[in-house]
Amino acid sequence: MGAKRILVIEDDRRLQDLLREYLATFGFEVKAVGHAREGLDVLETFAPALVILDLMLPDIDGFEACREIRRRGATPIIMLTARTDVADRVAGLEIGADDYVPKPFEPRELVARIQAVLRRGEPAQAQSVGESLSFGRLRVDRGAREAFLDEVPLGLTTMEFEALSLLAGNAGRVLDRDALLRALRGLESDVYNRSIDIAMSRLRQKLGDDAKAPIFIKTVRGAGYVFIAKADEHA
């Protein structure tokens, strides 16, 4: 298997060079571009395992670029920003980013974040969780790390799949925020609580689930969330 590819969309040339050289020492193949549109143009041909996306870009901002990347698939995204506003970080998570790293940052910290996000997206080969869970119209393939509704892929982000897999694997059991926080690890503590709500909201939207009359995920006020669908008997 070749080196995992990282696409860096960042207009700071010095930071581009630093990331290209530093990430290469960890075995990554890096392509760096300075404009969002250029990054979108090479996204499919380069086929990165992960995108590092700056929030402030000269053509279109990182939020819009993130939305477009997410419309095209579930490639993990780590956003970079010099802004310190928590609202910006929450906004990035709401539109599908998997993690958020504020500038300035230590390159080794970014590598740790990259590795954590990529681990969440890897098939669970040796973790005894490679089974497929079925709940009527919904199938959660924990080996392939994909979920299907009526056999149509839901296109979940790594964060969304991690949360769904944890809930479905503990169907009927209320999971508190601590359990979900561990599943959504890698995010900064000041956006943890919102990240759970965001993940649940996005999951429900993709599942076509109504929070007021849920079929799959029910909110237990003051306690957490519970997956309420019944598993197929043959599953």
Side-chain angles (χ1 to χ4, degrees):
M1 182 179 293
K4 289 190 175 179
R5 294 178 172 180
I6 305 292
L7 175 60
V8 175
I9 307 177
E10 163 65 63
D11 63 326
D12 185 328
R13 288 293 183 89
R14 289 178 297 178
L15 185 53
Q16 280 187 16
D17 292 341
L18 183 151
L19 291 178
R20 187 184 293 108
E21 294 175 9
Y22 192 78
L23 293 177
T25 66
F26 288 86
F28 294 110
E29 178 185 346
V30 179
K31 184 176 185 63
V33 299
H35 292 75
R37 290 189 179 89
E38 184 181 1
L40 295 172
D41 286 343
V42 303
L43 185 64
E44 292 185 13
T45 55
F46 185 62
L50 181 142
V51 176
I52 296 174
L53 177 63
D54 188 29
L55 181 59
M56 301 295 292
L57 293 165
D59 48 353
I60 58 177
D61 69 27
F63 291 134
E64 182 55 37
C66 182
R67 290 188 189 95
E68 181 56 33
I69 294 170
R70 195 50 69 232
R71 279 193 286 267
R72 299 184 185 192
T75 303
I77 301 168
I78 294 180
M79 298 193 79
L80 304 178
T81 182
R83 298 180 183 179
T84 58
D85 191 346
V86 172
D88 283 336
R89 304 179 196 184
V90 170
L93 298 173
E94 287 177 331
I95 59 177
D98 293 271
D99 203 350
Y100 224 112
V101 176
K103 295 178 179 178
F105 56 85
E106 288 292 331
R108 188 64 185 87
E109 178 191 359
L110 179 60
V111 170
R113 299 292 189 97
I114 291 170
Q115 292 170 335
V117 170
L118 291 177
R119 275 197 304 271
R120 295 204 298 270
E122 290 176 349
Q125 295 176 349
Q127 300 175 22
S128 301
V129 293
E131 73 273 17
S132 181
L133 306 177
S134 295
F135 304 86
R137 300 168 56 215
L138 176 66
R139 179 166 63 88
V140 181
D141 188 334
R142 300 170 87 179
R145 298 191 65 83
E146 179 63 280
F148 304 83
L149 189 64
D150 296 326
E151 291 306 315
V152 177
L154 291 174
L156 302 180
T157 66
T158 53
M159 181 193 303
E160 293 160 1
F161 182 85
E162 193 81 15
L164 177 60
S165 179
L166 182 65
L167 287 164
N170 292 274
R173 175 186 171 193
V174 178
L175 297 181
D176 62 20
R177 286 180 175 270
D178 286 341
L180 288 164
L181 288 176
R182 289 192 292 272
L184 303 180
R185 62 196 178 279
L187 301 171
E188 293 187 16
S189 58
D190 54 5
V191 293
Y192 269 175
N193 288 338
R194 279 300 306 274
S195 72
I196 294 174
D197 298 333
I198 292 164
M200 293 303 110
S201 176
R202 291 177 63 87
L203 269 176
R204 283 170 167 153
Q205 182 179 20
K206 291 181 179 182
L207 290 167
D209 212 15
D210 184 349
K212 295 181 179 178
I215 298 173
F216 298 110
I217 300 171
K218 179 180 179 181
T219 301
V220 181
R221 189 176 297 277
Y225 296 91
V226 59
F227 193 85
I228 60 175
K230 298 295 184 182
D232 296 348
E233 290 185 3
H234 63 275

